[in-house]
Amino acid sequence: MSEFCFAPAPQPMISISGSTHFFPVRRIYCIGRNYADHAVEMGHDPKTSPPFFFQKNPNNINETGNFDYPAHSHDVHHEIELIVALHSGGSNISVADAHQHIFGYSVGLDMTRRDLQAEMKRLGRPWEVSKAVEGSAPTGPLHLVEDTGFIDSGKIEIAVNGQKKQESNLEMMIWNVSEQIATLSEYYELSAGDIIMTGTPSGVGPVQKGDVMIGSIEGLGELKVSVS
Ligand code: MN
């Protein structure tokens, strides 16, 4: 047993629907521009863009039901996303085998300091400051793949203060979940505990303190998050 010079940080985790166990989070991978309509609204041609990824910090996972509006931004956006959690991994996983590594799914949000992201893009700098923000990965509980089956389609939507903002279907992803796992595994060694935020459809927009976001994905229930 190693002795640490101070207490190690708590293990980031996600609760599991119908279970007293928790899913320990190792890494958070996120795909960019994975719904054609969102790529277009951000000014890109979806057909010419290969998949690309960025990461959030594992301890950005947030199951409190609250999101603290972060500093240094006046344009924080919601991005409703399907979260895929892995119970195993590896390198160079084939598209055909990728689904075998899926542990479960949840409804997630990729909260983004959009103004800082635009500035970093303009300057050709990394996106972390816009994406790897405290509490910026609100999530609902994971639903086991044994219960849900493999999810390739289904309604995904979010309302802010009762007004629908994003509404699409998971089958509108440019790169499906298996393709995302396969591509990521070419660049990284995937492992149990990794989660993937699988991209957001069009309709992203700003939130303000006091707003209430309710996201949902067919078969995975609702995620309610207040902004404070
Ligand atoms: Mn996103």
Side-chain angles (χ1 to χ4, degrees), residues 30-32 38 54 79 81 110 112 131 197 199-200:
C30 309
I31 188 169
H38 175 57
F54 58 91
E79 297 189 357
E81 312 209 359
D110 169 14
T112 302
K131 291 290 195 179
M197 303 191 78
T200 199

Side-chain angles (χ1 to χ4, degrees), residues 133-191:
V133 180
E134 310 311 332
S136 65
T139 182
L142 286 169
H143 295 259
L144 299 175
V145 72
E146 287 84 5
D147 298 329
T148 63
F150 295 109
I151 296 179
D152 296 313
S153 65
K155 195 183 245 196
I156 177 171
E157 59 187 20
I158 186 170
V160 179
N161 302 332
Q163 262 203 321
K164 196 158 294 178
K165 297 291 185 182
Q166 295 181 266
E167 183 176 21
S168 189
N169 194 292
L170 299 172
E171 65 192 5
M172 300 302 288
M173 287 184 192
I174 299 170
W175 306 95
N176 67 30
V177 170
S178 290
E179 290 167 334
Q180 292 181 56
I181 292 170
T183 304
L184 273 169
S185 76
E186 294 175 13
Y187 292 91
Y188 305 99
E189 184 170 358
L190 297 180
S191 179

Side-chain angles (χ1 to χ4, degrees), residues 53-162:
F53 298 88
F54 58 91
Q55 293 180 44
K56 285 176 179 277
N57 293 312
N59 65 3
N60 294 152
I61 281 292
N62 175 359
E63 276 196 283
T64 65
N66 187 75
F67 173 69
D68 285 329
Y69 199 98
H72 287 290
S73 178
H74 300 286
D75 195 27
V76 174
H77 280 203
H78 55 78
E79 297 189 357
I80 185 75
E81 312 209 359
L82 171 71
I83 289 181
V84 177
L86 306 184
H87 61 61
S88 56
S91 298
N92 299 312
I93 298 166
S94 70
V95 172
D97 291 341
H99 64 282
Q100 296 171 15
H101 299 282
I102 297 174
F103 174 83
Y105 305 93
S106 70
V107 182
L109 281 167
D110 169 14
M111 299 304 296
T112 302
R113 288 194 276 217
R114 189 72 73 206
D115 41 4
L116 286 185
Q117 185 190 31
E119 179 77 352
M120 294 304 109
K121 284 179 181 174
R122 189 178 68 77
L123 295 169
R125 291 180 183 167
W127 286 10
E128 272 98 333
V129 75
S130 69
K131 291 290 195 179
V133 180
E134 310 311 332
S136 65
T139 182
L142 286 169
H143 295 259
L144 299 175
V145 72
E146 287 84 5
D147 298 329
T148 63
F150 295 109
I151 296 179
D152 296 313
S153 65
K155 195 183 245 196
I156 177 171
E157 59 187 20
I158 186 170
V160 179
N161 302 332

